[in-house]
Amino acid sequence: MILDFTPILARWQMLMDGAWLTIQLAVATTLTGFLLGTLCAVARRSQFRLAAAVAGTYVEAIRNTPFLVQIFLVYFGLSSLGLSLSAVTVAIIALTINVGAYTAEIMRAGFDSIHKGQWEAAETLGLSKVQQYWHVALRPAMERVYPSLSSQFILLMLASSVTSQISTEELTAAANFIQSATYRPFETYLVIALIYVALSLAMRVVFWAISMVIFPRRRRLGTNL
Amino acid sequence: MSIVVLDNVKKSFGAVKVLHGVSFSVAKGQVMALIGASGSGKSTALRCIDRLEQIDSGRIEVCGHQVADPGLDLRKLRLDVGMVFQSYNLFPHLTIEQNIMLGPVSVKRIPRPEAKGIAAEVLAKVGLADKVTAYPEQLSGGQQQRAAIARSLAMQPKVMLFDEVTSALDPKLTGEVLRVIEELARTGMTMIMVTHEMNFARRIADKIVFMHEGKVHEQGGPEILTAPATPELRDFVSNEL
Ligand SMILES: Nc1ncnc2c1ncn2[C@@H]1O[C@H](COP(=O)(O)OP(=O)(O)OP(=O)(O)O)[C@@H](O)[C@H]1O
Ligand SMILES: [Mg+2]
């Protein structure tokens, strides 16, 4: 087998555009997914039965269906409602819904790990429930589950590949186009595999940098909570 | 004038009856020691006073708040009551200063610079002026407990509740925490402390309440520790010393 990368590298710009959209999708849905997931974790733990049940149903529904099917459901669901949204918007919605469910489970474990005494100390100081989550529970919970959390968001970036199925022009979609134009599928997917590896490693570095900012205690003392 | 009143308070956890009609009262500026064997319901009584537990029947009044009232504004109750726990419960991700400022800033809405001043003041009171930027895990148990007392003091409560705050400490560290509490007592703070430190209770308490099997079995001045009226208190005191 002779490998020939020249026709692929000739379309380098297209790959870069695809990678850039992949990065944008990853960043946007990491933020929205974290927000949705954390709110669902709080809802699942709350004493409001209805909120807990709604959040629980959502989490289980998402964790027990394939992501591709979820994308199609969002895509065709929204269009049958008469909403004509761009492929990127649909991708962001579907990715958020998907990662939000997994994040909810991770954050729930994080909040569950906060000792009862911490909540009681906050309670006796007069903090409201929202303040207890915000000031007392959120950062220690995140710090404990941070490895799972960052892995989940890297998986999310990789899973954004599937949105090529609704013609979002991200990295995998670019590869699909290039391989059909060049008849060099192996080389094409090998190149984007390497780009995905580079993106994953870059995300690890970014998550490490974020941890240095949001966990000052850890930065200063280097110990685990 | 009583600041804390419990009147025939009953409390069960499921089928387990813990408080079988507890009554006592604490006057303003009084220091009360709540003593009794393990499982007699001391912690439960204390937690009911701050509504960490809701009672089944009876009445609790704290600084004019009807504590059992389901419509009670809990925030107002907690502004008047400070609580210190056996396990310190400092927030591990916050520095000592941040731990202390959290309540004043987010509950009382005191501006940060002013809250910083309050933190410095209460830390000086407990002898930790140099620990402002330390994290809880960098402190000894005794220092952590003093920081927890400072955190509670920063809210300027009218009553403070202490639940075996020295039980996790060795004798030397116990001494430094007890000195802080003694100093607080001298400044006229109203306090209810659950303690196994009988000598300490005898020295600083104005009133001793002895609980036995979910009831107040005997109460009086510190002299009841040396001259108990009931055989149960006599047994308890001789076991503790
Ligand atoms: N949340 C709870 N659920 C069930 N039972 C409880 C709960 N809290 C306390 N109890 C029970 O109530 C009884 C009294 O407990 P409490 O903690 O008030 O005793 P105590 O006098 O503080 O004892 P100690 O000196 O060991 O701290 C015990 O039998 C305990 O098992
Ligand atoms: Mg107890």
Side-chain angles (χ1 to χ4, degrees), chain B residues 1 13 22 25 41 55 60 66 71 87 98 107 112 127 143 150 152 160 170 209 221-222 224:
Chain B
M1 188 187 74
F13 292 106
V22 169
S25 65
I55 61 177
I60 300 183
Q66 295 302 327
S87 49
Q98 290 167 337
V107 179
R112 289 193 161 270
Q143 292 172 328
S152 193
M160 287 188 72
D170 65 35
V209 170
I224 68 168

Side-chain angles (χ1 to χ4, degrees), chain A residues 116-118 120-127 131 135-136 139-140 216-217 220-221 223 225, chain B residues 47 50 52 75 78 85 89-94 102 106-107 109 133 135 137-138 151 155:
Chain A
K116 185 164 157 272
Q118 294 281 305
E120 289 186 345
E123 179 83 26
T124 56
L125 282 174
L127 272 71
Q131 290 175 323
H135 293 291
V136 174
R139 271 179 297 158
R217 183 205 62 85
R220 245 175 69 192
L221 306 184
T223 52
L225 264 185
Chain B
R47 293 166 59 81
D50 204 16
L52 286 175
R75 194 177 146 275
R78 267 87 191 241
F85 304 86
N89 299 339
L90 291 169
F91 306 127
H93 62 300
L94 300 179
L102 181 58
S106 43
V107 179
R109 304 274 167 216
T133 59
Y135 284 97
E137 70 189 84
Q138 295 176 290
R151 178 175 67 182
M155 295 298 281

Side-chain angles (χ1 to χ4, degrees), chain B residues 77-146:
Chain B
L77 173 69
R78 267 87 191 241
L79 281 175
D80 287 339
V81 182
M83 185 143 179
V84 184
F85 304 86
Q86 181 179 340
S87 49
Y88 333 130
N89 299 339
L90 291 169
F91 306 127
H93 62 300
L94 300 179
T95 63
I96 297 303
E97 183 181 59
Q98 290 167 337
N99 262 278
I100 293 173
M101 286 170 63
L102 181 58
V105 170
S106 43
V107 179
K108 288 182 137 183
R109 304 274 167 216
I110 291 174
R112 289 193 161 270
E114 200 180 318
K116 240 179 148 64
I118 295 174
E121 205 175 293
V122 292
L123 279 174
K125 237 180 230 176
V126 301
L128 292 176
D130 56 336
K131 299 295 181 192
V132 170
T133 59
Y135 284 97
E137 70 189 84
Q138 295 176 290
L139 305 190
S140 71
Q143 292 172 328
Q144 289 191 49
Q145 192 57 290
R146 285 185 281 147

